[in-house]
Amino acid sequence: QVQLVESGGGLVQTGGSLRLSCAASGRTFGTCGWFRQAPGKEREFVAAIKWSGGTTSYTDSVKGRFTISRDNTKNTVYLQMNSLKPEDTAVYYCAASTYYSGIARFVPDYWGQGTQVTVSS
């Protein structure tokens, strides 16, 4: 059974940092990444990483502030978030695909339950 379990969300002030973790189990994956959904908005892509090679991709609004990484020995994906802004407030979801189809073509097959990130102004 595939499981993606997020942790690390919370409340932080503008300019602060948080690190999200996603513990993955149940199978190997092609691509893992993060999406987010703010109140009243659609879920949007944040970042992705090729599980076996480390190739990464980011949405423009987080480039230079967020870093995605993975630890294959722990089957865990991380999202280091720095210089946080109120507009980063959202529920962050870990996601994974069975196969790698190119970093720009990340379509998840599996989702975590989400972790809340709130950035106060």
Side-chain angles (χ1 to χ4, degrees):
Q1 180 180 358
V2 173
Q3 282 192 314
L4 302 175
V5 180
E6 303 101 333
S7 61
L11 173 64
V12 65
Q13 291 185 333
T14 297
S17 298
L18 284 174
R19 188 177 80 157
L20 305 183
S21 299
C22 173
S25 61
R27 64 160 299 127
T28 56
F29 302 100
T31 305
C32 289
W34 296 89
F35 288 71
R36 66 187 180 186
Q37 187 167 19
K41 295 187 177 181
E42 295 187 353
R43 191 174 298 187
E44 65 171 353
F45 169 78
V46 176
I49 187 167
K50 181 182 179 183
W51 188 255
S52 64
T55 304
T56 60
S57 176
Y58 299 90
T59 191
D60 286 345
S61 63
V62 307
K63 286 180 180 177
R65 300 189 298 121
F66 290 11
T67 303
I68 189 170
S69 62
R70 87 269 188 253
D71 184 336
N72 290 5
T73 65
K74 297 181 179 180
N75 279 355
T76 300
V77 177
Y78 304 98
L79 185 68
Q80 178 66 44
M81 305 186 295
N82 299 328
S83 301
L84 282 162
K85 305 175 181 180
E87 50 264 44
D88 295 317
T89 295
V91 177
Y92 284 70
Y93 295 91
C94 180
S97 65
T98 305
Y99 303 107
Y100 179 73
S101 302
I103 200 65
R105 300 181 63 185
F106 176 36
V107 180
D109 300 303
Y110 307 100
W111 295 89
Q113 293 298 309
T115 185
Q116 177 71 46
V117 171
T118 303
V119 185
S120 63
S121 57

